[in-house]
Amino acid sequence: MPTGLPKANSSVAPDDQGWLWTQIKAEARRDAELEPALASYLYSTILSHSSLVRSLSFHLGNKLCSSTLLSTLLYDLFLNAFSFDPSLCSAAVADLRAARERDPACVSYSHCLLNYKGFLACQAHRVAHLLWRQSRQPLALALHSRIADVFAVDIHPAARIGKGILFDHATGVVVGETAVIGNNVSILHHVTLGGTGKVGGDRHPKIGDGVLIGAGATILGNIKIGEGAKVGAGSVVLIDVPPQTTAVGNPARLVGGKEKPSKHEDVPGESMDHTSFISEWSDYII
């Protein structure tokens, strides 16, 4: 696996970021007209800001603040992080697109920006990870704690996450310290990417590009989930899963068998196809 942050296949162009921000503001204006009770909220979180970065920094600061961790301090922290590392903004744009394209419940980009705790937790984690790489571990861990408290998403600041990520529903997601998540991955609620004991070192899963992990799945140890693989809901995975295959059950088994597992051609992390394997799962009986 790479030693640095995972890289997306292509970066998000500045004009794409500009288009998305224009779209978000248009959605906010529409919603403010349709629902006047939200007008002040939409103005303060979106319409009063000059860029996506400023809006996101303001919103995260207000979401994660406490009586001793002030929103103004957090706003400056997030804004400085986004300014220092522009890839954080391009990742946020890719994540917004992922939610809008993959989740039929996502009615607009502004809806995701304001209300999707999986999206918000992921963006805050990216800042915590930047702090961790800058050897500012106490602040990174404090931010990590607030993210877990507020969003019920527990991602260690050292964990590395790519772009185009969808944490769908997100409640109860746990990602360990040495975990790596590739690009265009979709993970549902109550998924654990954990270790197998108290031994240190590289001990958490490595998730390839385009992977789909169903709700309640548990993946443990320094194992690889291959590019384009699918892990069914409720599965417990303890060994490597080959690329483009489906692992289901407790303990997880490969659909089609270990020797010649069935392969799929789509990218599950993007198609969000959770159940097509059922036709090939001979033990599935009701």
Side-chain angles (χ1 to χ4, degrees):
M1 300 301 295
T3 55
L5 286 169
K7 301 295 184 182
N9 293 330
S10 60
S11 60
V12 178
D15 58 340
D16 196 28
Q17 296 179 24
W19 175 88
L20 185 59
W21 178 235
T22 298
Q23 180 68 19
I24 289 171
K25 289 193 294 182
E27 293 169 354
R29 291 191 190 97
R30 176 204 63 199
D31 292 344
E33 291 177 1
L34 293 173
E35 198 60 71
L38 292 176
S40 178
Y41 171 63
L42 291 169
Y43 180 80
S44 65
T45 53
I46 294 177
L47 296 174
S48 65
H49 299 283
S50 60
S51 67
L52 174 61
V53 163
R54 289 184 176 276
S55 172
L56 182 56
S57 297
F58 176 85
H59 193 43
L60 286 173
N62 278 279
K63 283 282 189 180
L64 295 171
C65 68
S66 68
S67 59
T68 54
L69 198 59
L70 301 182
S71 62
T72 51
L73 182 152
L74 289 174
Y75 172 74
D76 288 340
L77 175 67
F78 288 123
L79 191 58
N80 288 336
F82 283 118
S83 300
F84 177 81
D85 187 351
S87 72
L88 299 182
C89 184
S90 63
V93 170
D95 294 350
L96 281 166
R97 286 191 172 277
R100 186 73 177 96
E101 293 168 4
R102 299 176 206 166
D103 184 2
C106 186
V107 297
S108 66
Y109 293 109
S110 59
H111 172 49
C112 178
L113 172 64
L114 296 178
N115 302 322
Y116 269 40
K117 65 180 182 179
F119 168 78
L120 294 170
C122 188
Q123 309 323 306
H125 162 76
R126 297 187 199 283
V127 174
H129 181 70
L130 177 62
L131 295 171
W132 187 269
R133 288 192 295 140
Q134 293 174 335
S135 298
R136 301 173 70 184
Q137 281 88 351
L139 184 54
L141 290 169
L143 185 55
H144 160 244
S145 178
R146 288 300 297 159
I147 295 167
D149 288 346
V150 173
F151 299 126
V153 176
D154 191 333
I155 308 174
H156 192 282
R160 292 178 277 149
I161 298 180
K163 297 181 179 182
I165 303 301
L166 172 61
F167 287 115
D168 197 357
H169 300 289
T171 301
V173 167
V174 176
V175 179
E177 178 181 8
T178 60
V180 178
I181 299 174
N183 301 307
N184 303 316
V185 172
S186 294
I187 297 177
L188 274 81
H189 50 288
H190 291 293
V191 165
T192 297
L193 306 181
T196 57
K198 64 179 184 179
V199 177
D202 195 355
R203 61 195 184 280
H204 296 103
K206 311 298 182 284
I207 310 300
D209 294 348
V211 168
L212 171 62
I213 305 177
T218 300
I219 305 173
L220 301 178
N222 184 17
I223 62 174
K224 295 181 180 179
I225 308 300
E227 182 174 338
K230 184 188 309 184
V231 177
S235 300
V236 177
V237 184
L238 303 174
I239 59 176
D240 291 353
V241 175
Q244 309 299 143
T245 64
T246 301
V248 182
N250 181 5
R253 291 178 290 166
L254 295 177
V255 172
K258 182 178 181 180
E259 300 303 321
K260 294 183 178 180
S262 301
K263 298 273 188 172
H264 47 257
E265 296 181 359
D266 68 330
V267 180
E270 297 179 8
S271 69
M272 302 297 287
D273 180 4
H274 290 270
T275 59
S276 62
F277 67 88
I278 292 297
S279 62
E280 301 180 52
W281 193 242
S282 59
D283 293 341
Y284 185 74
I285 300 172
I286 294 180

